[in-house]
Amino acid sequence: MAIGIMAIVDAGISGLSGLVWLLTICGIPLAIYSIIVAVMAGMYAYKLLSSPPQPLQPNKTLAIMQIVNIITGNIFSLAFGIVSLVLYNQPKVQAYFAYRNSQSLPPHQYQPPPF
């Protein structure tokens, strides 16, 4: 799944960014934030790509934290956060999460609620 791969890549890039910021005295708060985002993205990717699949909801909090990670200069995290939020609103992705969470409808029969 694309979201899982993006989370793995973001975990690596955010982790490296955090280590670079850790080398500067003034950048330690930025390093801590970037490392937290990296750990959260890694844990989410692990759960998302695990076999057998575990029940899991879309992690919009992580996507927002990835967008805010632009304060560390991480452009990739910004892009991954925006793409994740857009994908979470797609009917097929919502159907996948509904199916993964053991709801009775197969993914191709899921109808999102009207707004």
Side-chain angles (χ1 to χ4, degrees):
M1 178 168 215
I3 296 172
I5 294 171
M6 286 191 316
I8 289 173
V9 171
D10 185 50
I13 293 172
S14 293
L16 289 175
S17 172
L19 291 176
V20 169
W21 279 108
L22 199 57
L23 297 174
T24 65
I25 293 173
C26 295
I28 290 177
L30 297 175
I32 292 170
Y33 183 79
S34 189
I35 291 171
I36 289 172
V37 171
V39 169
M40 287 181 63
M43 289 177 12
Y44 186 67
Y46 175 76
K47 291 177 183 177
L48 194 60
L49 299 173
S50 67
S51 181
Q54 301 173 7
L56 191 62
Q57 295 294 326
N59 197 343
K60 293 183 180 181
T61 303
L62 174 61
I64 292 168
M65 288 182 71
Q66 288 173 327
I67 293 170
V68 174
N69 202 18
I70 191 65
I71 62 172
T72 65
N74 191 341
I75 302 168
F76 298 106
S77 190
L78 171 72
F80 292 153
I82 292 171
V83 170
S84 294
L85 284 178
V86 169
L87 286 176
Y88 289 150
N89 290 323
Q90 298 296 320
K92 289 185 179 183
V93 175
Q94 291 174 351
Y96 171 76
F97 279 106
Y99 179 73
R100 184 176 179 134
N101 291 319
S102 302
Q103 293 184 2
S104 59
L105 293 175
H108 63 279
Q109 293 180 349
Y110 174 77
Q111 295 296 323
F115 292 98

